[in-house]
Amino acid sequence: MPVLDLSPDELLTTTRSVRRRLDCSRPVEPEVIRQCLEIALQAPTGGNRQGWHFLVVTDAEKRQSLGDLYRRGFAIYRNPRQRPGRG
């Protein structure tokens, strides 16, 4: 599968299927992350509240731990029977 070379603007404003062709093993330059966040800030929010928060994690072990937490939380969301108190 070819690796795409897109600007942050192209990446974030094109079809979501582009994710399948990204090279997620390459590090992302801090300037690209900054540009992506600037574009994300332009997204509409409910009631125009702009309640987003961003945290950029560059440490591989911390990213792995956060990913594990996310996967466990999503598994519970996906299968409500796994929620605590729902025997």
Side-chain angles (χ1 to χ4, degrees), residues 37-70:
L37 292 174
E38 286 178 0
I39 293 167
L41 292 174
Q42 297 176 35
T45 59
N48 200 28
R49 297 189 63 163
Q50 288 82 20
W52 4 249
H53 300 275
F54 299 99
L55 177 66
V56 177
V57 180
T58 57
D59 181 86
E61 286 183 34
K62 288 180 183 175
R63 278 198 317 263
Q64 180 66 45
S65 295
L66 288 169
D68 293 343
L69 272 172
Y70 173 81

Side-chain angles (χ1 to χ4, degrees), residues 4-24:
L4 299 178
D5 187 23
L6 301 173
S7 72
D9 189 45
E10 292 170 315
L11 174 65
L12 295 174
T13 58
T14 57
T15 179
R16 291 176 192 252
S17 65
V18 76
R19 284 184 279 179
R20 295 183 191 148
R21 295 177 291 182
L22 294 177
D23 182 359
C24 295

